[in-house]
Amino acid sequence: MALTVTHTIAELRAALAPKRADGIAMVPTMGALHDGHLSLVTAAKKPTVVVSIFVNPTQFAPHEDFDAYPRDLSNDIAKLETVGAPLIFAPTAREIYPHGFATTVTVGGPSAGLETDFRPHFFAGVATVVAKLLLAALPDVAVFGEKDYQQLLVVKRLAKDRGLPTEILGAPIAREADGLALSSRNAYLSAAERAVAGNLNKVLKDVAARAKEMGDLRDAEAYGAAELKAVGFDSVDYVAIRDAETLAPVSDLRCPARVLAAAHIGRTRLIDNMAI
Ligand code: PAF
């Protein structure tokens, strides 16, 4: 079966119409696809999987890497062909944000803190584009990677609160052999930075172990931030242990918890998280 590339919402809906009865999944992406994205396509488990490829300008602040963000549609298409020829939706910015665009979607709850403390524009940009993509395709399920764990919870909240007819699924983080979570932004890392980057996951494992053994979650977070600097990260935005369902701060591990971190190395900001 040949891979179909659509660029407008009308084309996408026409391509999906004959397939709707058998089940449709969507994997929203910003392209620069790697094995982590391909694992989301595999996790989608529906006869038709739509992969959207759109570098969404509203989730980048003016000083961030929107212009530098890697874009290579033909390479993305070649990669998607290896996982069973899904349907691609690659809209222009004008298709998503038509002339006069004036509707922004904001989500409360899990948006609070963490990423929002450092990227206050981010979740409104994500929620606005994800709402548009889900309404364009109306998939039965949509799959998001757990690497962006806060984003996953924000999208779940969005789908529930807006009554979208789409089940939001999280898929496990795909990692390199040294534990580095796969990310399109890993392409920015120099060889020396790449060697340091794998420590993010190792430090999170240590934080989780320390939290479980010692029980003092604030001490475990402070240890994690200090360790990240000690192994070569230039700065740490946060190392935080939170309730896994709500991302509310927790003081003990009686409910399922997650440790989440964001740290900078060179010009690259890396995030990671894991269950405790
Ligand atoms: O995770 C991403 O790649 C993006 O934030 C998303 C969900 C595709 C929205 O632009």
Side-chain angles (χ1 to χ4, degrees):
M1 192 173 40
L3 183 146
T4 308
V5 183
T6 59
H7 297 285
T8 66
I9 293 170
E11 284 170 2
L12 174 67
R13 287 186 177 151
L16 289 176
K19 302 171 186 295
R20 197 161 287 288
D22 295 331
I24 291 168
M26 183 170 218
V27 177
T29 80
M30 298 206 299
L33 301 183
H34 49 65
D35 287 351
H37 294 113
L38 301 186
S39 74
L40 303 184
V41 175
T42 309
K45 291 198 181 87
K46 287 280 175 197
T48 300
V49 182
V50 191
V51 176
S52 63
I53 296 178
F54 178 63
V55 185
N56 174 35
T58 61
Q59 67 190 75
F60 291 80
H63 65 278
E64 291 182 342
D65 58 342
F66 175 71
D67 290 332
Y69 200 86
R71 293 162 172 86
D72 187 349
L73 185 59
S74 31
N75 195 33
D76 289 343
I77 290 172
K79 286 191 173 157
L80 288 172
E81 275 169 342
T82 67
V83 286
L87 178 63
I88 294 178
F89 178 47
T92 60
R94 260 289 166 261
E95 184 70 7
I96 298 296
Y97 299 108
H99 186 67
F101 185 87
T103 307
T104 297
V105 178
T106 55
V107 177
S111 289
L114 301 173
E115 287 300 291
T116 296
D117 288 342
F118 298 90
R119 306 184 71 203
H121 56 284
F122 180 64
F123 286 121
V126 167
T128 300
V129 79
V130 169
K132 183 120 190 185
L133 294 169
L134 296 181
L135 287 168
L138 291 176
D140 301 292
V141 303
V143 189
F144 293 80
E146 287 183 350
K147 183 177 83 69
D148 296 277
Y149 190 79
Q150 190 176 10
Q151 169 177 277
L152 170 65
L153 296 192
V154 168
V155 171
K156 281 186 174 174
R157 189 74 259 165
L158 163 74
K160 197 168 195 168
D161 290 353
R162 288 284 185 222
L164 299 178
T166 301
E167 183 188 0
I168 307 299
L169 297 181
I173 301 174
R175 297 184 183 278
E176 304 277 9
D178 67 350
L180 178 65
L182 298 192
S183 164
S184 306
R185 288 188 168 104
N186 292 351
Y188 299 153
L189 297 167
S190 68
E193 290 165 352
R194 172 66 190 82
V196 171
N199 288 299
L200 177 55
N201 184 244
K202 293 192 185 83
V203 170
L204 286 191
K205 281 185 184 155
D206 289 347
V207 171
R210 205 175 167 104
K212 277 196 273 201
E213 278 159 30
M214 323 269 253
D216 183 339
L217 307 192
R218 302 295 83 80
D219 171 77
E221 292 169 347
Y223 163 84
E227 261 319 273
L228 286 174
K229 285 198 192 136
V231 297
F233 280 86
D234 295 316
S235 62
V236 178
D237 284 350
Y238 57 84
V239 175
I241 298 172
R242 296 293 177 94
D243 182 292
E245 297 290 317
T246 64
L247 293 184
V250 286
S251 51
D252 58 53
L253 297 178
R254 276 180 292 186
C255 293
R258 199 115 190 153
V259 54
L260 306 100
H264 296 257
I265 179 163
R267 66 184 180 116
T268 310
R269 182 175 188 271
L270 298 175
I271 60 172
D272 199 354
N273 68 87
M274 67 174 59
I276 298 185

